[in-house]
Amino acid sequence: LVIFQLGWFLAVLGGNLALLVIIPLILLHFLFSPSRLLDLLALGLSVLLGLLHDSLLITFGLLLIDSHSIFPPVWLISLWALLGITLLH
């Protein structure tokens, strides 16, 4: 849970630059996790559903981003990855 909180704080404040810390934090989680495979599945499912969710919000104009893409920024996707590693713990 500490990794999620730290990663969330960094992503919101640092944007894509925060990935330099978030990716190692996620790797650190997998290094010590007793259920790596299940955590990987939870992470993948969270990212997939989060990407779909945020893309729909962007498409319908409910989430405004600076670019003209229908995809959310990478830092926002990283929040879904961080959520995924907390689901089984």
Side-chain angles (χ1 to χ4, degrees):
L1 205 50
V2 172
I3 290 175
F4 175 78
Q5 293 295 329
L6 180 61
W8 187 94
F9 187 71
L10 290 170
V12 171
L13 291 180
N16 288 338
L17 191 58
L19 292 172
L20 295 173
V21 176
I22 292 173
I23 291 171
L25 284 175
I26 291 173
L27 293 175
L28 184 67
H29 167 81
F30 280 103
L31 182 65
F32 292 106
S33 176
S35 55
R36 289 183 184 106
L37 183 59
L38 289 175
D39 282 345
L40 186 61
L41 290 172
L43 182 146
L45 185 60
S46 295
V47 168
L48 184 65
L49 291 175
L51 186 61
L52 176 65
H53 174 267
D54 290 342
S55 294
L56 287 172
L57 290 177
I58 291 168
T59 300
F60 291 116
L62 299 172
L63 178 62
L64 302 176
I65 57 172
D66 291 337
S67 71
H68 297 287
S69 173
I70 63 166
F71 297 107
V74 178
W75 69 266
L76 190 55
I77 297 169
S78 73
L79 293 177
W80 291 105
L82 288 167
L83 174 69
I85 63 172
T86 67
L87 292 177
L88 300 173
H89 299 280

